[in-house]
Amino acid sequence: MGEARAVMDRLTDAITTHADLKVIGELYAEDAVALTPDEGELHGRDNIVEYWRTMTDAVPDGSFQALHSYEVGDTAIDEGVFSGRNTGPLELPNGETLPPTQKEIRIRGVDIATVREGRIVDYRLYFDEMDFLGQLGLLPPDEPF
C-alpha cells in the first residue's frame, strides 16, 4: 500500500468509523482544494474540515462500504456507498439549517484524493445530490404528467 492509499483510508475512517475533525484537518494540506457536488470548490484546510463537520454532524453514525479501491501514483480512488441515519441538523450551502429527518440514507459515490508529502492537496467527491436530498425527504413529491 502506498502513501495515497494510506491517507485516503485514514480520511475515510476519520469521517465515518472514528469521526475526528482534528485527524481530518491533519490529512489535508493547508492550501488543499476540494470539489464537492453540494458546496462546489472549497479552498484551504479549514473550509474543507468545515464541510466534513457538517456531514459528520448530520450523519454521526455514517459508514462507508468500499466497492472499488485504487491507487495510481500519488492518487487514491474509492467508489463506495456512504450510509447512515440523519440524526443531526443539516446545514445547507445558503446558511439555512434543517432539523434532522431521522431518515436512513444510502448514497453511492466516488472520492479521489491526490497526496503529496503525506497530505491531501487535491480532493474530488462525486455523488448524486438529488438522490441524497430525495432520501432525506427534502424534495417535493413527483407530479404526475
Side-chain angles (χ1 to χ4, degrees):
M1 173 181 354
E3 180 179 60
R5 176 83 265 143
V7 169
M8 177 73 98
D9 290 346
R10 285 186 64 212
L11 177 64
T12 300
D13 184 68
I15 293 168
T16 58
T17 309
H18 301 100
D20 189 329
L21 295 176
K22 183 176 184 234
V23 171
I24 292 170
E26 291 169 355
L27 294 172
Y28 282 93
E30 186 69 37
D31 60 349
V33 175
L35 180 64
T36 69
D38 48 347
E39 293 282 335
E41 193 168 277
L42 305 170
H43 294 269
R45 174 188 299 147
D46 294 342
N47 290 326
I48 297 168
V49 169
E50 180 61 18
Y51 175 81
W52 287 121
R53 184 201 59 74
T54 299
M55 182 57 76
T56 58
D57 284 355
V59 187
D61 71 340
S63 65
F64 182 77
Q65 175 192 5
L67 302 174
H68 301 283
S69 296
Y70 306 99
E71 182 178 45
V72 180
D74 63 358
T75 301
I77 304 162
D78 282 342
E79 177 187 2
V81 177
F82 177 81
S83 59
R85 181 181 296 274
N86 173 223
T87 58
L90 183 64
E91 292 182 33
L92 301 177
N94 66 3
E96 290 182 45
T97 301
L98 298 175
T101 65
Q102 303 301 323
K103 295 191 183 272
E104 292 284 337
I105 60 161
R106 186 169 166 77
I107 306 297
R108 190 174 186 135
V110 174
D111 300 75
I112 304 169
T114 300
V115 175
R116 293 201 182 89
E117 298 178 12
R119 298 192 189 271
I120 299 168
V121 296
D122 182 68
Y123 180 82
R124 283 148 291 161
L125 172 63
Y126 300 97
F127 65 87
D128 185 335
E129 187 177 5
M130 295 302 282
D131 185 30
F132 176 58
L133 294 173
Q135 289 184 41
L136 290 173
L138 300 175
L139 296 179
D142 289 337
E143 296 292 324
F145 290 99

